[in-house]
Amino acid sequence: MKKALIIGGGIAGPVTAMALQRAGVEPIVCEAYQEAAAEQIGAFLTVAVNGLSALALLDAQHVVTDIGYPTATLSFSTSAGKHITDMPIGGTLPDGTVTHSIKRRDMYRALNAEATRRGVRFEYDKRLVDATATADGVRASFADGTTIEADVLIGADGIRSRTREIIDPAAPKAHFLGIYGLGGFVTDRGLHRELGLRPGIYNMVFGKKAFFGCFVAPDGEIWWFANMPSAQELSGTAHTTSAQWREQLVALLSADRGPAARIVAATSDDTFVPAFNQYDMPTVRQWHNDNMVIVGDAAHAVASSSGQGVSMAVEDAVTLAICLRDIPDTAAALAAYEDRRRARVERVVAYGAQTSGDKASNGLGRLIVRLLTPYFLKKAAKSGVAPLNWMFDYRVGWETQPVARQFSD
Ligand SMILES: Cc1cc2nc3c(=O)[nH]c(=O)nc-3n(C[C@H](O)[C@H](O)[C@H](O)COP(=O)(O)OP(=O)(O)OC[C@H]3O[C@@H](n4cnc5c(N)ncnc54)[C@H](O)[C@@H]3O)c2cc1C
């Protein structure tokens, strides 16, 4: 049986491990921290139907649907509190499942727990530092001085991937977008009623100085995120308390008439996700060598506004497992994986860049693009969700796919 060493226990890591298990490959997952996503980036995620259907192939859709909540509608308003439009987020699966929102930490924990329950071996506090090819596979070295050998090394180590650098030292690096993200949860279950927010609807506000989004869970808890522009990338040593971030953000959001400032002000320190840098990544030209490959954000960073990052990671994981199952030669299997994924991923990345205005040169530029977006949104709403069917209706299959010509000789 082939042995795969997966670096990163976030989203792509455990899902790849479960897919490989099904494909007859033995996985081991090494995560840099004591728990996945210890670097808290963002409060919650929306998982689109294409990602949910890929999870269903692994009988793992329940990981999201058991603890997440249906979120089928996006509602946009202006800084003056004026409602712009409502739009559906993605389509509906045959069993009625729609896009779900889930707390980020809950999703990481649940995926890790599910993979562990299935017998996947996880090693925590195990940070990859280097990897080299051996006669019949790869040897990875870790910050704790240990090494592990495997037939294939899979980098599911996120946007600042070490695996990507090992495969290609000239690979592009993630760059700071000029935007901070922040988030939190309001445990006062009555506040949403006072503010007139409807449960199950994802509200987005194009504020004058910051972008704000919130979702009311069925139990009344408000989940929120905000983006604020900044010229300065946060360093690991910077120390601003949650209370200080809250004060800054409330000041920015007070320029608007909507509920945002009240929601942020009502967030206690222990449920406040302090500012984190938002990154973008140029196209990565090399996803693999003969026995190392990257999946998820390590290979492509989809803008958070597209709501497709998780789904792309899950689709990658299943596709890679199918290629390793069907193509005995590892190098050919990794090439086939890239062949099957690249065009799809690049189309989603391009869509994400368009929706977030990430192409603008700096944080302020991007914010201006966002402020202009209401006009384009109204136009888009008129045409419904159909123009995005190519994104939501895509399905990875578990059945054998035709092997590309160059690999069948
Ligand atoms: C603010 C924000 C909001 C977002 N919202 C959404 C959304 O609503 N919907 C959506 O689909 N996507 C969203 N995304 C994108 C989504 O979070 C990512 O696409 C997804 O997390 C990618 O999963 P991953 O496993 O590839 O990487 P990650 O989730 O980043 O996991 C990587 C893991 O690798 C570990 N690691 C890193 N380096 C090493 C190393 N050297 N050795 C060992 N382990 C290592 C890390 O600790 C981490 O646990 C959002 C992103 C951001 C920033």
Side-chain angles (χ1 to χ4, degrees):
M1 192 190 256
K2 259 189 193 165
K3 189 170 157 189
L5 176 59
I6 299 169
I7 306 301
I11 288 167
V15 178
T16 304
M18 291 189 278
L20 287 175
Q21 242 189 356
R22 293 222 158 176
V25 177
E26 186 196 336
I28 160 170
V29 182
C30 294
E31 163 58 45
Y33 292 95
Q34 263 177 15
E35 111 169 275
E39 288 185 84
Q40 179 73 305
I41 47 151
F44 64 101
L45 298 159
T46 58
V47 186
V49 287
N50 49 307
L52 290 169
S53 80
L55 279 173
L57 287 177
L58 306 175
D59 297 317
Q61 183 176 322
H62 66 90
V63 169
V64 176
T65 53
D66 282 357
I67 48 174
Y69 299 118
T71 320
T73 307
L74 270 172
S75 180
F76 294 93
S77 16
T78 64
S79 59
K82 191 168 164 256
H83 178 251
I84 304 167
T85 190
D86 280 359
M87 273 170 84
I89 319 179
T92 306
L93 296 178
D95 67 359
T97 305
V98 295
T99 298
H100 271 60
S101 293
I102 182 169
K103 290 185 179 177
R104 183 182 281 271
R105 183 152 280 165
D106 286 352
M107 176 151 185
Y108 282 69
R109 285 184 176 158
L111 276 178
N112 277 247
E114 178 64 16
T116 303
R117 190 186 67 75
R118 296 179 187 201
V120 172
R121 185 175 138 209
F122 281 81
E123 298 227 356
Y124 293 97
D125 265 333
K126 201 125 188 113
R127 177 176 291 278
L128 176 81
V129 287
D130 210 352
T132 46
T134 60
D136 50 3
V138 58
R139 180 183 304 114
S141 10
F142 295 89
D144 62 4
T146 58
T147 58
I148 297 181
E149 295 200 6
D151 297 292
V152 58
L153 182 142
I154 300 167
D157 44 356
I159 195 161
R160 287 183 291 163
S161 167
R162 174 69 187 130
T163 313
R164 183 174 67 228
E165 280 175 353
I166 296 170
I167 292 174
D168 175 12
K173 292 194 188 322
H175 72 263
F176 177 51
L177 272 171
I179 291 182
Y180 295 157
L182 304 97
F185 305 98
V186 178
T187 47
D188 171 357
R189 306 283 197 268
L191 185 63
H192 75 280
R193 269 193 295 275
E194 213 183 298
L195 297 173
L197 297 171
R198 294 168 288 166
I201 311 251
Y202 202 162
N203 301 281
M204 303 282 189
V205 183
F206 294 88
K208 286 196 183 103
K209 296 182 178 164
F211 187 83
F212 182 81
C214 72
F215 164 78
V216 182
D219 64 359
E221 191 176 59
I222 302 174
W223 304 4
W224 65 267
F225 80 90
N227 292 151
M228 58 190 253
S230 171
Q232 186 83 38
E233 182 172 0
L234 288 168
S235 76
T237 52
H239 193 70
T240 307
T241 63
S242 292
Q244 288 164 329
W245 283 122
R246 186 170 47 237
E247 198 179 317
Q248 270 192 48
L249 187 57
V250 168
L252 292 178
L253 294 170
S254 296
D256 307 320
R257 289 196 62 187
R262 288 257 334 254
I263 293 172
V264 175
T267 310
S268 56
D269 283 4
D270 57 334
T271 55
F272 194 95
V273 177
F276 52 89
N277 297 315
Q278 297 247 54
Y279 293 101
D280 183 23
M281 217 181 44
T283 305
V284 177
R285 296 275 159 221
Q286 200 181 339
W287 285 10
H288 67 92
N289 60 22
D290 284 353
N291 37 35
M292 302 180 207
V293 66
I294 43 181
V295 291
D297 274 14
H300 43 72
V302 186
S304 53
S305 57
S306 70
Q308 282 289 324
V310 168
S311 298
M312 288 302 102
V314 176
E315 288 180 10
D316 283 356
V318 174
T319 308
L320 176 61
I322 291 169
C323 292
L324 284 165
R325 179 196 65 188
D326 294 348
I327 306 170
D329 177 64
T330 302
L334 303 186
Y337 151 74
E338 177 173 345
D339 203 45
R340 286 172 194 176
R341 289 297 297 152
R342 189 177 276 282
R344 157 106 177 130
V345 160
E346 286 187 355
R347 193 170 178 197
V348 175
V349 169
Y351 161 76
Q354 198 189 323
T355 55
S356 67
D358 285 348
K359 282 190 173 144
S361 57
N362 56 39
L364 189 62
R366 275 184 288 277
L367 212 61
I368 289 167
V369 172
R370 280 187 175 157
L371 299 182
L372 291 173
T373 306
Y375 165 74
F376 298 105
L377 270 177
K378 258 199 164 143
K379 262 176 81 174
K382 275 197 185 137
S383 46
V385 78
L388 293 177
N389 282 354
W390 62 269
M391 190 158 76
F392 298 117
D393 290 354
Y394 181 90
R395 298 288 175 264
V396 274
W398 190 248
E399 70 285 357
T400 298
Q401 297 175 10
V403 175
R405 260 179 81 78
Q406 66 265 37
F407 308 114
S408 57
D409 297 334

